[in-house]
Amino acid sequence: MVLKIVRTVWPVMLTYVAIGAPCGMIMGQTGMEPWMVFALSSTFVTGSGQFMICNLWLAGVPAPSIIASVAAISSRFALYSASIAPHLAGASKRQTLAVAATLTEEAYGISLAKLVEGEDWGPRESFVLNVILIATWGASCTMGAIVGAVVDVPTAIASFVCTSLFICLLFSQRLSRGNVVAAVSGAVSVAVCKFLGLTNIAVLASVVVGIAIALACDAVLDGRGARDAR
């Protein structure tokens, strides 16, 4: 079973190595020892959140602002768990909890696709997949922390890895009105916060503003379209 899962997920594992190593370098620059990097990377399973914690910490952002920002972008995992739960209806509560507690974004996508397609896939396979990806991410971050302690890599270069990842994800999304409005309004809100000196809440504000304006825009235009149709 493990070999079957590895054959399925090896491209994601390679991606984890490419992204996890720079993340580990940044974590090392915050003063974390390699064992600390591995401990955090193996228990805090959102890579974007780890990048955000390190970059905001290096920028001198207060801890409450870091917690609020990371919590905002990590809230999506509640939706992931809720959407995959109906497909694990036959599993025990312990199995369901094990899958939900170790879920990563990539593992969520793979497991959900397997479950929807009706393949020979269940909570056991989903949990093993999660563990394999978490172990790969933890080892990659630790390797980056070790290399970063020997080779001086500029923080700006390592930090841009996460930014470039989100740029790729943005352009891979379906070009819809809501996505465009959310992206533009989020970028504008960050620029405004930076201009006003509100760097502590720039990320959190961009998330809230982008989503709120996109939802409001869709609601207004959809309502107007319904009235025109009548």
Side-chain angles (χ1 to χ4, degrees), residues 4 87 110-122 125:
K4 180 184 74 172
H87 302 283
I110 295 173
S111 292
L112 184 62
K114 296 286 187 182
L115 292 168
V116 171
E117 293 170 2
E119 297 189 19
D120 184 18
W121 194 272
E125 287 78 9

Side-chain angles (χ1 to χ4, degrees), residues 41-120:
S41 302
S42 301
T43 53
F44 193 78
V45 291
T46 164
S48 58
Q50 288 180 217
F51 270 102
M52 179 175 288
I53 291 173
C54 297
N55 288 323
L56 294 179
W57 182 266
L58 289 173
V61 177
S65 297
I66 296 177
I67 293 173
S69 299
V70 175
I73 68 168
S74 301
S75 60
R76 64 191 186 278
F77 281 90
L79 300 177
Y80 295 160
S81 299
S83 64
I84 203 173
H87 302 283
L88 299 174
S92 65
K93 291 184 178 180
R94 180 178 298 179
Q95 290 175 322
T96 304
L97 178 61
V99 173
T102 57
L103 198 63
T104 65
E105 289 176 308
E106 293 76 16
Y108 162 76
I110 295 173
S111 292
L112 184 62
K114 296 286 187 182
L115 292 168
V116 171
E117 293 170 2
E119 297 189 19
D120 184 18

Side-chain angles (χ1 to χ4, degrees), residues 59-184:
V61 177
S65 297
I66 296 177
I67 293 173
S69 299
V70 175
I73 68 168
S74 301
S75 60
R76 64 191 186 278
F77 281 90
L79 300 177
Y80 295 160
S81 299
S83 64
I84 203 173
H87 302 283
L88 299 174
S92 65
K93 291 184 178 180
R94 180 178 298 179
Q95 290 175 322
T96 304
L97 178 61
V99 173
T102 57
L103 198 63
T104 65
E105 289 176 308
E106 293 76 16
Y108 162 76
I110 295 173
S111 292
L112 184 62
K114 296 286 187 182
L115 292 168
V116 171
E117 293 170 2
E119 297 189 19
D120 184 18
W121 194 272
R124 187 162 172 255
E125 287 78 9
S126 296
F127 177 71
V128 173
L129 169 65
N130 295 350
V131 172
I132 290 174
L133 291 182
I134 290 174
T136 303
W137 175 258
S140 301
C141 291
T142 305
M143 177 185 66
I146 295 173
V147 173
V150 179
V151 181
D152 185 18
V153 179
T155 305
I157 296 177
S159 299
F160 187 73
V161 172
C162 186
T163 304
S164 62
L165 172 62
F166 278 102
I167 292 174
C168 292
L169 291 175
L170 174 63
F171 281 98
S172 66
Q173 295 297 309
R174 181 173 61 89
L175 187 61
S176 65
R177 179 182 60 207
N179 287 342
V180 172
V181 171
V184 173

